[in-house]
Amino acid sequence: MDIAELSTKILSSDRRALARAITLVESGRADHRAQATELLDLLAQHKRQALRIGLSGTPGVGKSTFIESFGLMLTEQGLRVAVLAVDPSSARSGGSILGDKTRMERLSRDPNAFIRPSPSQTNLGGVARRSREAVALCEAAGYDVVLIETVGVGQSETVVSEISDLFLLLLAPAGGDELQGVKRGIMEIADVILVNKADGELKSAASRTCADYSGALRLLRKRPQDPAGFPKALMVSALEDQGLSIAWDELQQLDAWRREHGHWQQRRAEQAQYWFHEELRQAVLSQLNSAEAQGEINQLAQQVASGEVSSVKAAGLALARLNITTG
Amino acid sequence: MDIAELSTKILSSDRRALARAITLVESGRADHRAQATELLDLLAQHKRQALRIGLSGTPGVGKSTFIESFGLMLTEQGLRVAVLAVDPSSARSGGSILGDKTRMERLSRDPNAFIRPSPSQTNLGGVARRSREAVALCEAAGYDVVLIETVGVGQSETVVSEISDLFLLLLAPAGGDELQGVKRGIMEIADVILVNKADGELKSAASRTCADYSGALRLLRKRPQDPAGFPKALMVSALEDQGLSIAWDELQQLDAWRREHGHWQQRRAEQAQYWFHEELRQAVLSQLNSAEAQGEINQLAQQVASGEVSSVKAAGLALARLNITTG
């Protein structure tokens, strides 16, 4: 593969080239990894940047409908929109939350939109790096907004918040009791909570839910990166296109304020550091992944299972046999 | 410290010796660690085993009242009971869920009970090893039942389930909607769900909640380690001592069935393997903890933050400078 040529095509917004490049960064092969690194280095020189918006919400809250309506609103304004999915759960099932593009039929046909389903990956470390690199590729391809979608499982919100400038939490209307269904950790990373389905029979429930979450957000500790009034909860109806432009205005205001006050820059710097530490952790742990290491480890694991040796002692033996010196 | 003497005292059920030994395994000092390992090796030869019961429940479900009532019921039957807490959240706050023994005033005065508050620890790896070793010490001291308490945060349930034979989930009565408040992962590791506070005004709500969870448990995939009818949901009132002996009967039946069918043995073997892999991971990651490593890493992190070098490249540089060869 001619990496310089691929780079040029991506910079000229060739969607097929972008798709090929994402496939490249998703590959686990060593030669592909080297090419991916070369490509990312070439593209990084152009320093193109999009507004990165993370989006989380459990199944059933209407994420696809929201992304379709929100994405189409942005493309109508002349913006170019990329949609990526981070879905560690699909790593297990082999499935893909965006696998079926027909879920966003109109947006997927829009020439100013790019939708990339989540890949089948085998570990969250891999998912994280692939997602970061896919975002960088979309930025290089000139997309103005990159939406990074995830379902609310395990550590995926952390991954998404660490590659996003803004984090949206999408909720469905519900009884007031259900507040505790949202993990506190997710509340704490949300910049804007959108209560979807504020239409038809659910409108009054959406209003109550929105008020409940507004109250809950006020109880959270004030974050230095928030102007007055943020984080906030808003009602939207993706189905009826209600509230989406207000939400977009709010997101833009928040983004502008953060850029003006240095928080955007600081956040991106912190994220780069976070990923440096994560890369380091994953690399160090990969010492245990070689065929030789796996052989030793499996053998010791048998002895641990049979009670011949304790887990602590076996760990010490494994390190000695693999010549790993620890601190 | 004379480790042989300490070992003898623990084997003769000296509570002060047990408390000192737990303090020893909690210590981060290298000489203490060596002593702890020596002590645990001495005690392991006696192969004493307790029934290890993990207990999880969010604040407010009445965990302390339950442990007090349940523990006193067991001691009245002539059993010796130890209560330990695994609380990674206290690592951050410096607090301790069992710090205030007055929460279990009667049980703490019972000569056949031993209550150990959770320590202030700095990482989950440390919490996990300390907890495993504290359980082993309680077993060596001749306790028949070891209750390992945790609050429902993050990975603490995983830690507790990986050192327990049985896992109890304690819940409060609630509206039917609230089912989703319990993370699926916790439902999946529960052997018995106890709906507490089945007394007074809440009795009918408890009955509904119990029925809801019974239904939810039936929807989970059948596990090979369960006899017919398990996992199951039961109602209890720790305040009024209702349902506790039924719960205890059920737990004993489950334990007996698993022992008879080889699942108990298999589970303990799998747990030993799990901890072997965890010890190994923590040891490998500790390569990054030395003062030298931290110096290099902090310096590179600065360059990453300023944009001089990418996170991936910086990770490669750090590994090279620290002479860490990865697979």
Side-chain angles (χ1 to χ4, degrees):
Chain A
M1 195 179 308
D2 185 333
I3 295 301
E5 190 191 326
L6 188 58
S7 165
T8 308
K9 283 186 175 168
I10 290 168
L11 289 166
S12 66
S13 307
D14 181 326
R15 282 152 54 119
R16 283 188 55 203
L18 174 59
R20 270 178 63 209
I22 295 180
T23 303
L24 185 68
V25 302
E26 284 170 3
S27 169
R29 271 173 50 183
D31 56 333
H32 288 168
R33 184 96 295 266
Q35 290 181 318
T37 305
E38 187 189 340
L39 177 64
L40 289 161
D41 283 347
L42 280 174
L43 295 172
Q45 295 164 13
H46 296 267
K47 295 189 186 297
R48 288 190 182 165
Q49 274 156 349
L51 176 59
R52 306 173 181 175
I53 303 177
L55 174 69
S56 175
T58 47
V61 300
K63 271 203 306 296
S64 308
T65 313
F66 173 79
I67 293 173
E68 168 127 316
S69 300
F70 192 71
L72 287 169
M73 179 192 70
L74 297 179
T75 57
E76 276 161 26
Q77 296 182 17
L79 295 169
R80 299 181 63 227
V81 178
V83 181
L84 302 171
V86 174
D87 181 17
S89 68
S90 75
R92 277 163 250 150
S93 65
S96 164
I97 42 176
L98 282 176
D100 186 4
K101 278 200 196 179
T102 56
R103 276 176 50 212
M104 303 177 193
E105 207 181 336
R106 285 166 60 211
L107 189 63
S108 65
R109 283 198 311 262
D110 190 319
N112 285 319
F114 175 84
I115 299 181
R116 178 73 177 195
S118 63
S120 304
Q121 284 277 349
T122 51
N123 67 73
L124 196 63
V127 170
R129 182 195 277 168
R130 169 263 171 194
S131 303
R132 276 184 292 143
E133 294 180 345
V135 169
L137 291 170
C138 292
E139 289 186 313
Y143 287 91
D144 303 293
V145 176
V146 181
L147 276 172
I148 309 137
E149 175 193 357
T150 189
V151 290
V153 288
Q155 288 191 271
S156 61
E157 275 87 3
T158 306
V159 169
V160 172
S161 79
E162 291 292 346
I163 52 179
S164 304
D165 300 316
L166 302 174
F167 195 87
L168 290 183
L169 176 61
L170 201 66
L171 296 174
D177 286 7
E178 216 185 308
L179 209 64
Q180 55 197 298
V182 174
K183 281 172 265 172
R184 188 182 168 87
I186 296 176
M187 288 279 285
E188 284 172 348
I189 58 176
D191 293 308
V192 173
I193 289 178
L194 297 178
V195 181
N196 192 21
K197 303 191 182 179
D199 46 49
E201 286 183 347
L202 290 173
K203 197 157 186 175
S204 64
S207 176
R208 274 198 310 276
T209 301
C210 190
D212 287 345
Y213 279 93
S214 294
L217 287 173
R218 276 193 295 273
L219 296 177
L220 292 179
R221 197 156 37 119
K222 178 102 178 75
R223 304 179 302 185
Q225 71 270 30
D226 292 329
F230 282 93
K232 66 173 64 176
L234 299 168
M235 280 195 288
V236 296
S237 164
L239 199 67
E240 297 184 350
D241 269 341
Q242 295 291 318
L244 297 179
S245 65
I246 293 173
W248 174 233
D249 283 347
E250 295 278 2
L251 292 173
Q252 284 181 295
Q253 279 176 36
L254 177 59
D255 184 55
W257 188 89
R258 286 190 182 162
R259 283 174 192 267
E260 194 184 327
H261 292 80
H263 295 296
W264 182 90
Q265 174 64 29
Q266 192 188 335
R267 180 84 187 115
R268 288 238 172 156
E270 285 166 359
Q271 289 175 336
Q273 288 188 322
Y274 176 90
W275 291 115
F276 161 56
H277 290 293
E278 271 303 299
E279 285 282 336
L280 206 46
R281 275 173 55 90
Q282 296 299 328
V284 167
L285 286 172
S286 76
Q287 290 172 284
L288 303 176
N289 296 343
S290 71
E292 186 212 352
Q294 286 295 309
E296 289 285 0
I297 290 168
N298 290 339
Q299 197 190 327
L300 282 161
Q302 294 300 321
Q303 294 176 270
V304 167
S306 68
E308 277 173 74
V309 58
S310 75
S311 50
V312 172
K313 272 199 183 147
L317 287 170
L319 295 169
R321 290 184 195 167
L322 299 171
N323 290 315
I324 297 174
T325 319
T326 61
Chain B
M1 196 177 311
D2 185 333
I3 295 303
E5 191 192 325
L6 188 58
S7 163
T8 308
K9 283 186 175 171
I10 289 169
L11 290 166
S12 66
S13 307
D14 181 326
R15 283 152 54 121
R16 284 188 54 203
L18 174 59
R20 270 179 62 208
I22 295 180
T23 304
L24 186 67
V25 302
E26 284 170 3
S27 169
R29 269 173 52 183
D31 55 334
H32 287 169
R33 184 97 293 267
Q35 290 181 317
T37 306
E38 187 189 340
L39 176 65
L40 289 161
D41 282 348
L42 279 175
L43 295 172
Q45 296 165 13
H46 296 268
K47 295 188 185 296
R48 288 190 183 166
Q49 275 158 349
L51 176 60
R52 307 175 181 173
I53 303 177
L55 174 69
S56 175
T58 47
V61 299
K63 272 205 304 297
S64 308
T65 313
F66 173 79
I67 293 174
E68 167 127 315
S69 300
F70 192 72
L72 287 168
M73 179 192 70
L74 297 179
T75 57
E76 276 161 27
Q77 297 183 15
L79 296 168
R80 299 182 63 225
V81 179
V83 181
L84 302 171
V86 174
D87 181 17
S89 67
S90 76
R92 276 164 249 150
S93 64
S96 164
I97 41 174
L98 282 176
D100 187 3
K101 278 199 193 179
T102 56
R103 276 175 52 210
M104 302 177 194
E105 207 182 334
R106 285 166 60 211
L107 190 62
S108 65
R109 284 199 311 263
D110 191 320
N112 285 318
F114 175 84
I115 299 182
R116 178 73 179 196
S118 64
S120 303
Q121 284 277 350
T122 50
N123 67 74
L124 196 64
V127 170
R129 183 195 275 168
R130 170 265 172 193
S131 303
R132 275 184 294 142
E133 294 181 344
V135 168
L137 292 170
C138 292
E139 289 186 313
Y143 286 91
D144 303 294
V145 176
V146 181
L147 277 171
I148 308 135
E149 174 193 357
T150 188
V151 289
V153 289
Q155 288 191 272
S156 62
E157 275 87 4
T158 307
V159 169
V160 172
S161 78
E162 291 292 347
I163 53 179
S164 304
D165 300 316
L166 302 174
F167 195 87
L168 290 183
L169 176 62
L170 201 66
L171 296 173
D177 286 7
E178 215 185 307
L179 209 63
Q180 54 197 300
V182 175
K183 281 173 263 170
R184 188 182 168 86
I186 296 175
M187 289 278 285
E188 284 172 347
I189 58 175
D191 292 309
V192 173
I193 289 178
L194 296 178
V195 181
N196 193 21
K197 303 191 182 180
D199 46 50
E201 286 183 346
L202 290 172
K203 197 158 185 173
S204 63
S207 176
R208 276 196 312 274
T209 301
C210 190
D212 288 344
Y213 278 93
S214 294
L217 287 173
R218 276 194 295 273
L219 296 176
L220 292 179
R221 197 157 35 119
K222 178 103 178 73
R223 304 178 302 184
Q225 71 270 31
D226 290 330
F230 283 93
K232 65 174 62 176
L234 299 168
M235 280 194 288
V236 296
S237 164
L239 199 67
E240 297 185 351
D241 267 342
Q242 295 291 317
L244 298 179
S245 65
I246 293 172
W248 174 233
D249 283 349
E250 295 278 2
L251 292 173
Q252 284 181 294
Q253 279 176 35
L254 177 59
D255 184 54
W257 188 90
R258 287 191 182 161
R259 283 174 192 266
E260 194 184 329
H261 292 80
H263 295 296
W264 181 89
Q265 173 65 31
Q266 191 187 334
R267 180 85 187 113
R268 288 240 173 154
E270 286 167 0
Q271 289 175 335
Q273 288 188 322
Y274 176 90
W275 291 116
F276 162 55
H277 290 293
E278 272 302 300
E279 285 281 336
L280 205 47
R281 274 173 56 90
Q282 296 299 328
V284 167
L285 286 171
S286 76
Q287 290 173 283
L288 303 177
N289 296 343
S290 71
E292 187 212 350
Q294 286 296 307
E296 290 286 1
I297 290 168
N298 290 340
Q299 196 191 327
L300 281 161
Q302 294 300 322
Q303 293 176 271
V304 167
S306 69
E308 277 172 75
V309 57
S310 76
S311 50
V312 173
K313 272 197 184 149
L317 287 172
L319 295 169
R321 290 185 195 167
L322 299 171
N323 290 312
I324 297 173
T325 320
T326 61

PDB file of all heavy atoms in Angstrom, chain B residues 134-161:
ATOM      1  N   ALA B 134      -6.187 -11.860  54.245  1.00  0.00           N
ATOM      2  CA  ALA B 134      -6.943 -11.743  55.491  1.00  0.00           C
ATOM      3  C   ALA B 134      -7.924 -12.911  55.615  1.00  0.00           C
ATOM      4  O   ALA B 134      -8.110 -13.463  56.707  1.00  0.00           O
ATOM      5  CB  ALA B 134      -7.684 -10.404  55.544  1.00  0.00           C
ATOM      6  N   VAL B 135      -8.538 -13.306  54.510  1.00  0.00           N
ATOM      7  CA  VAL B 135      -9.434 -14.472  54.533  1.00  0.00           C
ATOM      8  C   VAL B 135      -8.648 -15.718  54.947  1.00  0.00           C
ATOM      9  O   VAL B 135      -9.091 -16.486  55.804  1.00  0.00           O
ATOM     10  CB  VAL B 135     -10.099 -14.685  53.149  1.00  0.00           C
ATOM     11  CG1 VAL B 135     -10.791 -16.052  53.087  1.00  0.00           C
ATOM     12  CG2 VAL B 135     -11.093 -13.576  52.847  1.00  0.00           C
ATOM     13  N   ALA B 136      -7.465 -15.887  54.349  1.00  0.00           N
ATOM     14  CA  ALA B 136      -6.640 -17.061  54.682  1.00  0.00           C
ATOM     15  C   ALA B 136      -6.270 -17.062  56.171  1.00  0.00           C
ATOM     16  O   ALA B 136      -6.259 -18.119  56.819  1.00  0.00           O
ATOM     17  CB  ALA B 136      -5.378 -17.080  53.816  1.00  0.00           C
ATOM     18  N   LEU B 137      -5.992 -15.885  56.718  1.00  0.00           N
ATOM     19  CA  LEU B 137      -5.653 -15.790  58.140  1.00  0.00           C
ATOM     20  C   LEU B 137      -6.856 -16.172  59.008  1.00  0.00           C
ATOM     21  O   LEU B 137      -6.714 -16.881  60.003  1.00  0.00           O
ATOM     22  CB  LEU B 137      -5.173 -14.374  58.476  1.00  0.00           C
ATOM     23  CG  LEU B 137      -3.823 -13.951  57.858  1.00  0.00           C
ATOM     24  CD1 LEU B 137      -3.573 -12.459  58.064  1.00  0.00           C
ATOM     25  CD2 LEU B 137      -2.676 -14.762  58.465  1.00  0.00           C
ATOM     26  N   CYS B 138      -8.037 -15.696  58.631  1.00  0.00           N
ATOM     27  CA  CYS B 138      -9.246 -16.037  59.392  1.00  0.00           C
ATOM     28  C   CYS B 138      -9.517 -17.540  59.337  1.00  0.00           C
ATOM     29  O   CYS B 138      -9.939 -18.148  60.315  1.00  0.00           O
ATOM     30  CB  CYS B 138     -10.459 -15.276  58.855  1.00  0.00           C
ATOM     31  SG  CYS B 138     -10.384 -13.491  59.150  1.00  0.00           S
ATOM     32  N   GLU B 139      -9.289 -18.130  58.182  1.00  0.00           N
ATOM     33  CA  GLU B 139      -9.474 -19.584  58.058  1.00  0.00           C
ATOM     34  C   GLU B 139      -8.506 -20.319  58.985  1.00  0.00           C
ATOM     35  O   GLU B 139      -8.896 -21.247  59.695  1.00  0.00           O
ATOM     36  CB  GLU B 139      -9.254 -20.022  56.604  1.00  0.00           C
ATOM     37  CG  GLU B 139     -10.371 -19.576  55.684  1.00  0.00           C
ATOM     38  CD  GLU B 139     -10.220 -20.126  54.266  1.00  0.00           C
ATOM     39  OE1 GLU B 139      -9.108 -20.041  53.724  1.00  0.00           O
ATOM     40  OE2 GLU B 139     -11.216 -20.641  53.723  1.00  0.00           O
ATOM     41  N   ALA B 140      -7.255 -19.863  58.987  1.00  0.00           N
ATOM     42  CA  ALA B 140      -6.252 -20.507  59.841  1.00  0.00           C
ATOM     43  C   ALA B 140      -6.612 -20.355  61.315  1.00  0.00           C
ATOM     44  O   ALA B 140      -6.328 -21.232  62.135  1.00  0.00           O
ATOM     45  CB  ALA B 140      -4.871 -19.914  59.563  1.00  0.00           C
ATOM     46  N   ALA B 141      -7.263 -19.244  61.652  1.00  0.00           N
ATOM     47  CA  ALA B 141      -7.646 -19.003  63.040  1.00  0.00           C
ATOM     48  C   ALA B 141      -8.909 -19.780  63.416  1.00  0.00           C
ATOM     49  O   ALA B 141      -9.440 -19.610  64.510  1.00  0.00           O
ATOM     50  CB  ALA B 141      -7.851 -17.501  63.276  1.00  0.00           C
ATOM     51  N   GLY B 142      -9.396 -20.595  62.503  1.00  0.00           N
ATOM     52  CA  GLY B 142     -10.476 -21.511  62.838  1.00  0.00           C
ATOM     53  C   GLY B 142     -11.885 -20.951  62.705  1.00  0.00           C
ATOM     54  O   GLY B 142     -12.834 -21.535  63.239  1.00  0.00           O
ATOM     55  N   TYR B 143     -12.040 -19.841  61.998  1.00  0.00           N
ATOM     56  CA  TYR B 143     -13.400 -19.335  61.790  1.00  0.00           C
ATOM     57  C   TYR B 143     -14.120 -20.250  60.801  1.00  0.00           C
ATOM     58  O   TYR B 143     -13.523 -20.737  59.836  1.00  0.00           O
ATOM     59  CB  TYR B 143     -13.372 -17.870  61.330  1.00  0.00           C
ATOM     60  CG  TYR B 143     -13.007 -16.974  62.493  1.00  0.00           C
ATOM     61  CD1 TYR B 143     -11.682 -16.643  62.765  1.00  0.00           C
ATOM     62  CD2 TYR B 143     -13.994 -16.557  63.373  1.00  0.00           C
ATOM     63  CE1 TYR B 143     -11.349 -15.902  63.881  1.00  0.00           C
ATOM     64  CE2 TYR B 143     -13.671 -15.807  64.501  1.00  0.00           C
ATOM     65  CZ  TYR B 143     -12.344 -15.484  64.743  1.00  0.00           C
ATOM     66  OH  TYR B 143     -12.030 -14.764  65.853  1.00  0.00           O
ATOM     67  N   ASP B 144     -15.396 -20.479  61.094  1.00  0.00           N
ATOM     68  CA  ASP B 144     -16.176 -21.384  60.247  1.00  0.00           C
ATOM     69  C   ASP B 144     -16.753 -20.661  59.040  1.00  0.00           C
ATOM     70  O   ASP B 144     -16.891 -21.236  57.971  1.00  0.00           O
ATOM     71  CB  ASP B 144     -17.325 -21.989  61.065  1.00  0.00           C
ATOM     72  CG  ASP B 144     -16.820 -22.720  62.284  1.00  0.00           C
ATOM     73  OD1 ASP B 144     -16.134 -23.748  62.097  1.00  0.00           O
ATOM     74  OD2 ASP B 144     -17.059 -22.248  63.415  1.00  0.00           O
ATOM     75  N   VAL B 145     -17.117 -19.407  59.269  1.00  0.00           N
ATOM     76  CA  VAL B 145     -17.706 -18.604  58.204  1.00  0.00           C
ATOM     77  C   VAL B 145     -16.938 -17.291  58.119  1.00  0.00           C
ATOM     78  O   VAL B 145     -16.699 -16.643  59.144  1.00  0.00           O
ATOM     79  CB  VAL B 145     -19.206 -18.314  58.478  1.00  0.00           C
ATOM     80  CG1 VAL B 145     -19.788 -17.390  57.414  1.00  0.00           C
ATOM     81  CG2 VAL B 145     -19.994 -19.613  58.560  1.00  0.00           C
ATOM     82  N   VAL B 146     -16.526 -16.921  56.925  1.00  0.00           N
ATOM     83  CA  VAL B 146     -15.915 -15.611  56.716  1.00  0.00           C
ATOM     84  C   VAL B 146     -16.840 -14.811  55.800  1.00  0.00           C
ATOM     85  O   VAL B 146     -17.090 -15.217  54.655  1.00  0.00           O
ATOM     86  CB  VAL B 146     -14.503 -15.703  56.096  1.00  0.00           C
ATOM     87  CG1 VAL B 146     -13.906 -14.307  55.925  1.00  0.00           C
ATOM     88  CG2 VAL B 146     -13.593 -16.556  56.955  1.00  0.00           C
ATOM     89  N   LEU B 147     -17.383 -13.723  56.320  1.00  0.00           N
ATOM     90  CA  LEU B 147     -18.241 -12.835  55.534  1.00  0.00           C
ATOM     91  C   LEU B 147     -17.375 -11.720  54.967  1.00  0.00           C
ATOM     92  O   LEU B 147     -16.677 -11.034  55.721  1.00  0.00           O
ATOM     93  CB  LEU B 147     -19.314 -12.203  56.424  1.00  0.00           C
ATOM     94  CG  LEU B 147     -20.580 -13.010  56.704  1.00  0.00           C
ATOM     95  CD1 LEU B 147     -21.412 -12.299  57.773  1.00  0.00           C
ATOM     96  CD2 LEU B 147     -21.391 -13.167  55.427  1.00  0.00           C
ATOM     97  N   ILE B 148     -17.422 -11.551  53.661  1.00  0.00           N
ATOM     98  CA  ILE B 148     -16.609 -10.509  53.040  1.00  0.00           C
ATOM     99  C   ILE B 148     -17.552  -9.490  52.432  1.00  0.00           C
ATOM    100  O   ILE B 148     -18.244  -9.755  51.459  1.00  0.00           O
ATOM    101  CB  ILE B 148     -15.673 -11.109  51.960  1.00  0.00           C
ATOM    102  CG1 ILE B 148     -14.886 -12.287  52.542  1.00  0.00           C
ATOM    103  CG2 ILE B 148     -14.731 -10.042  51.417  1.00  0.00           C
ATOM    104  CD1 ILE B 148     -14.845 -13.495  51.650  1.00  0.00           C
ATOM    105  N   GLU B 149     -17.573  -8.316  53.042  1.00  0.00           N
ATOM    106  CA  GLU B 149     -18.546  -7.290  52.694  1.00  0.00           C
ATOM    107  C   GLU B 149     -17.961  -6.301  51.690  1.00  0.00           C
ATOM    108  O   GLU B 149     -16.799  -5.924  51.779  1.00  0.00           O
ATOM    109  CB  GLU B 149     -18.932  -6.525  53.979  1.00  0.00           C
ATOM    110  CG  GLU B 149     -19.837  -5.347  53.727  1.00  0.00           C
ATOM    111  CD  GLU B 149     -19.975  -4.416  54.926  1.00  0.00           C
ATOM    112  OE1 GLU B 149     -19.416  -4.709  55.999  1.00  0.00           O
ATOM    113  OE2 GLU B 149     -20.648  -3.378  54.780  1.00  0.00           O
ATOM    114  N   THR B 150     -18.766  -5.860  50.737  1.00  0.00           N
ATOM    115  CA  THR B 150     -18.336  -4.775  49.870  1.00  0.00           C
ATOM    116  C   THR B 150     -19.521  -3.903  49.512  1.00  0.00           C
ATOM    117  O   THR B 150     -20.660  -4.320  49.590  1.00  0.00           O
ATOM    118  CB  THR B 150     -17.664  -5.291  48.577  1.00  0.00           C
ATOM    119  OG1 THR B 150     -17.099  -4.177  47.885  1.00  0.00           O
ATOM    120  CG2 THR B 150     -18.657  -5.963  47.651  1.00  0.00           C
ATOM    121  N   VAL B 151     -19.247  -2.662  49.140  1.00  0.00           N
ATOM    122  CA  VAL B 151     -20.304  -1.821  48.597  1.00  0.00           C
ATOM    123  C   VAL B 151     -20.255  -1.958  47.085  1.00  0.00           C
ATOM    124  O   VAL B 151     -19.232  -2.316  46.516  1.00  0.00           O
ATOM    125  CB  VAL B 151     -20.133  -0.336  48.982  1.00  0.00           C
ATOM    126  CG1 VAL B 151     -20.410  -0.141  50.447  1.00  0.00           C
ATOM    127  CG2 VAL B 151     -18.769   0.171  48.629  1.00  0.00           C
ATOM    128  N   GLY B 152     -21.363  -1.686  46.451  1.00  0.00           N
ATOM    129  CA  GLY B 152     -21.443  -1.948  45.017  1.00  0.00           C
ATOM    130  C   GLY B 152     -20.751  -0.902  44.178  1.00  0.00           C
ATOM    131  O   GLY B 152     -21.385  -0.129  43.488  1.00  0.00           O
ATOM    132  N   VAL B 153     -19.448  -0.861  44.221  1.00  0.00           N
ATOM    133  CA  VAL B 153     -18.734   0.113  43.395  1.00  0.00           C
ATOM    134  C   VAL B 153     -17.685  -0.578  42.538  1.00  0.00           C
ATOM    135  O   VAL B 153     -16.969  -1.445  42.995  1.00  0.00           O
ATOM    136  CB  VAL B 153     -18.025   1.193  44.240  1.00  0.00           C
ATOM    137  CG1 VAL B 153     -19.038   2.128  44.856  1.00  0.00           C
ATOM    138  CG2 VAL B 153     -17.157   0.568  45.317  1.00  0.00           C
ATOM    139  N   GLY B 154     -17.628  -0.169  41.305  1.00  0.00           N
ATOM    140  CA  GLY B 154     -16.560  -0.568  40.393  1.00  0.00           C
ATOM    141  C   GLY B 154     -16.252  -2.045  40.420  1.00  0.00           C
ATOM    142  O   GLY B 154     -17.123  -2.894  40.303  1.00  0.00           O
ATOM    143  N   GLN B 155     -14.991  -2.344  40.566  1.00  0.00           N
ATOM    144  CA  GLN B 155     -14.539  -3.714  40.442  1.00  0.00           C
ATOM    145  C   GLN B 155     -14.578  -4.476  41.757  1.00  0.00           C
ATOM    146  O   GLN B 155     -14.140  -5.616  41.810  1.00  0.00           O
ATOM    147  CB  GLN B 155     -13.101  -3.727  39.941  1.00  0.00           C
ATOM    148  CG  GLN B 155     -12.964  -3.327  38.483  1.00  0.00           C
ATOM    149  CD  GLN B 155     -11.560  -3.620  38.021  1.00  0.00           C
ATOM    150  OE1 GLN B 155     -10.677  -2.795  38.160  1.00  0.00           O
ATOM    151  NE2 GLN B 155     -11.318  -4.814  37.491  1.00  0.00           N
ATOM    152  N   SER B 156     -15.078  -3.864  42.819  1.00  0.00           N
ATOM    153  CA  SER B 156     -14.956  -4.521  44.117  1.00  0.00           C
ATOM    154  C   SER B 156     -15.743  -5.824  44.170  1.00  0.00           C
ATOM    155  O   SER B 156     -15.329  -6.770  44.829  1.00  0.00           O
ATOM    156  CB  SER B 156     -15.379  -3.586  45.243  1.00  0.00           C
ATOM    157  OG  SER B 156     -16.729  -3.215  45.097  1.00  0.00           O
ATOM    158  N   GLU B 157     -16.872  -5.904  43.451  1.00  0.00           N
ATOM    159  CA  GLU B 157     -17.615  -7.169  43.441  1.00  0.00           C
ATOM    160  C   GLU B 157     -16.798  -8.280  42.799  1.00  0.00           C
ATOM    161  O   GLU B 157     -16.890  -9.432  43.209  1.00  0.00           O
ATOM    162  CB  GLU B 157     -18.940  -7.053  42.667  1.00  0.00           C
ATOM    163  CG  GLU B 157     -20.074  -6.531  43.483  1.00  0.00           C
ATOM    164  CD  GLU B 157     -20.087  -5.034  43.457  1.00  0.00           C
ATOM    165  OE1 GLU B 157     -19.256  -4.454  42.731  1.00  0.00           O
ATOM    166  OE2 GLU B 157     -20.907  -4.440  44.170  1.00  0.00           O
ATOM    167  N   THR B 158     -16.055  -7.942  41.776  1.00  0.00           N
ATOM    168  CA  THR B 158     -15.222  -8.960  41.138  1.00  0.00           C
ATOM    169  C   THR B 158     -14.203  -9.487  42.128  1.00  0.00           C
ATOM    170  O   THR B 158     -14.020 -10.696  42.265  1.00  0.00           O
ATOM    171  CB  THR B 158     -14.504  -8.371  39.905  1.00  0.00           C
ATOM    172  OG1 THR B 158     -15.495  -7.784  39.067  1.00  0.00           O
ATOM    173  CG2 THR B 158     -13.765  -9.450  39.145  1.00  0.00           C
ATOM    174  N   VAL B 159     -13.552  -8.559  42.836  1.00  0.00           N
ATOM    175  CA  VAL B 159     -12.578  -8.967  43.843  1.00  0.00           C
ATOM    176  C   VAL B 159     -13.233  -9.902  44.846  1.00  0.00           C
ATOM    177  O   VAL B 159     -12.726 -10.986  45.148  1.00  0.00           O
ATOM    178  CB  VAL B 159     -11.992  -7.727  44.568  1.00  0.00           C
ATOM    179  CG1 VAL B 159     -11.197  -8.149  45.789  1.00  0.00           C
ATOM    180  CG2 VAL B 159     -11.125  -6.918  43.616  1.00  0.00           C
ATOM    181  N   VAL B 160     -14.392  -9.494  45.361  1.00  0.00           N
ATOM    182  CA  VAL B 160     -15.050 -10.282  46.409  1.00  0.00           C
ATOM    183  C   VAL B 160     -15.508 -11.632  45.863  1.00  0.00           C
ATOM    184  O   VAL B 160     -15.341 -12.665  46.519  1.00  0.00           O
ATOM    185  CB  VAL B 160     -16.212  -9.493  47.040  1.00  0.00           C
ATOM    186  CG1 VAL B 160     -17.011 -10.377  47.987  1.00  0.00           C
ATOM    187  CG2 VAL B 160     -15.669  -8.295  47.794  1.00  0.00           C
ATOM    188  N   SER B 161     -16.064 -11.643  44.651  1.00  0.00           N
ATOM    189  CA  SER B 161     -16.547 -12.926  44.139  1.00  0.00           C
ATOM    190  C   SER B 161     -15.379 -13.871  43.869  1.00  0.00           C
ATOM    191  O   SER B 161     -15.538 -15.083  43.938  1.00  0.00           O
ATOM    192  CB  SER B 161     -17.401 -12.733  42.884  1.00  0.00           C
ATOM    193  OG  SER B 161     -16.587 -12.513  41.761  1.00  0.00           O
TER     194      SER B 161
END
